[in-house]
Amino acid sequence: MSKVSVLGVDFDNKSFKQFQNELIGRINTHQSTFVVTANPEIVMSANENPEFMKILNYDADYVTPDGIGVVKAAKIQGTPLKERVTGYDLFSWLMKLANERSLRVYLIGAKPKVIHAIQTKIAREYSDIQLVGAEDGYFKDDLEVVAYQIERAEPDLVFAALGSPRQEQLLDILRKNLLPALMMGVGGSFDVFSGMVKRAPQVWQKAHLEWFYRLLKEPSRYKRMGKIPKFMVEVYKSKKDRR
């Protein structure tokens, strides 16, 4: 199955390696490409927001299963996905690719101190990247104005860490304007990449408990994490309804 639907959101059923190969192909040919990395929280949000659901299913070029909850849900339905493909793993790989190829990168989102930390890291460890934009997420301009500013910078890669659905709404504008770049929403990836937030140790990642590690480190995420049990309840209800 090339697509697997989980609570109405259509996920691309590809391995991490397959995503890499396809994205490289599109970068090589400067195809306008919009990637969504969707976790259970995003799926639940899309179910509450028809416009957001439309962005995911009709406007995005790829939707990756970012979150073990999505992978487990697909298995429960009897339509398994090949593997979890996280936004952070794609983002960190694309940043290495950008450094190898001296690509033009535009970053937008997160707190000012996080953006400053990323700029410092890029200058030190990814010095061949052409950083054509680095803006925090506390701007007051309309998304259309911000999209125009990004277009003027002529980036090859655009990463937005504005939270969902705002980051996807911004990238959707750029995709509809056919910006010849790869664009991806990365949620909290800037925080981790900058070093301001530590990613879960490998043992937690392999146990698929990265979300729980993050919750322990940031108790303020409790309300957001509360959507995960609700997500699983809806998955089981959906399975029952199919019968």
Side-chain angles (χ1 to χ4, degrees):
M1 298 176 67
S2 61
K3 294 275 188 180
V4 171
S5 180
V6 176
L7 296 183
V9 175
D10 296 332
F11 287 86
D12 288 278
N13 192 14
K14 304 178 189 296
S15 66
F16 186 81
K17 187 65 178 177
Q18 286 176 313
F19 274 113
Q20 285 179 307
N21 290 338
E22 291 199 23
L23 296 183
I24 284 177
R26 294 178 74 99
I27 290 170
N28 288 344
T29 54
H30 303 286
Q31 283 184 267
S32 187
T33 305
F34 176 17
V35 181
V36 175
T37 59
N39 57 19
E41 185 181 353
I42 287 178
V43 173
M44 294 303 290
S45 179
N47 274 269
E48 298 165 1
N49 183 340
E51 285 300 314
F52 189 30
M53 183 70 83
K54 179 180 176 297
I55 288 175
L56 301 187
N57 284 347
Y58 297 99
D59 299 342
D61 296 288
Y62 296 96
V63 179
T64 80
D66 181 0
I68 192 61
V70 172
V71 175
K72 286 186 175 181
K75 187 175 181 180
I76 289 168
Q77 293 177 170
T79 54
L81 286 158
K82 289 185 178 180
E83 64 178 309
R84 179 188 178 201
V85 180
T86 74
Y88 184 79
D89 288 337
L90 276 178
F91 170 61
S92 56
W93 166 69
L94 284 165
M95 289 295 281
K96 290 176 184 175
L97 183 71
N99 191 52
E100 292 170 4
R101 298 189 175 191
S102 297
L103 298 180
R104 298 168 65 84
V105 175
Y106 199 111
L107 307 174
I108 182 166
K111 296 178 181 178
K113 63 180 181 180
V114 172
I115 283 293
H116 293 153
I118 288 182
Q119 288 176 297
T120 300
K121 180 173 182 175
I122 288 174
R124 185 178 64 246
E125 301 177 26
Y126 297 78
S127 57
D128 287 329
I129 283 179
Q130 299 181 62
L131 191 60
V132 296
E135 183 178 357
D136 64 60
Y138 292 81
F139 55 84
K140 295 181 180 178
D141 293 326
D142 291 338
L143 292 181
E144 287 79 6
V145 173
V146 176
Y148 175 69
Q149 293 170 348
I150 294 173
E151 288 172 14
R152 289 185 62 187
E154 299 182 347
D156 298 305
L157 302 174
V158 180
F159 299 109
L162 302 170
S164 294
R166 195 166 177 238
Q167 62 192 21
E168 285 79 23
Q169 289 167 344
L170 171 62
L171 300 181
D172 189 42
I173 295 170
L174 294 170
R175 180 65 180 87
K176 287 176 177 174
N177 290 347
L178 299 179
L179 178 70
L182 186 145
M183 303 156 276
M184 186 168 77
V186 294
S189 294
F190 285 6
D191 296 334
V192 179
F193 188 78
S194 69
M196 306 287 286
V197 172
K198 287 187 177 181
R199 193 178 186 187
Q202 280 291 327
V203 64
W204 289 73
Q205 293 181 42
K206 289 179 180 178
H208 304 304
L209 290 172
E210 196 168 359
W211 64 272
F212 187 59
Y213 179 87
R214 189 82 184 267
L215 179 60
L216 292 175
K217 293 294 182 180
E218 300 177 63
S220 61
R221 295 172 65 88
Y222 175 76
K223 286 186 178 179
R224 290 173 57 186
M225 291 298 184
K227 287 191 175 183
I228 295 177
K230 185 178 179 182
F231 167 79
M232 295 308 299
V233 168
E234 292 300 320
V235 169
Y236 278 107
K237 283 173 61 178
S238 175
K239 182 183 179 182
K240 187 177 179 180
D241 290 342
R242 288 184 184 186
R243 290 175 180 173

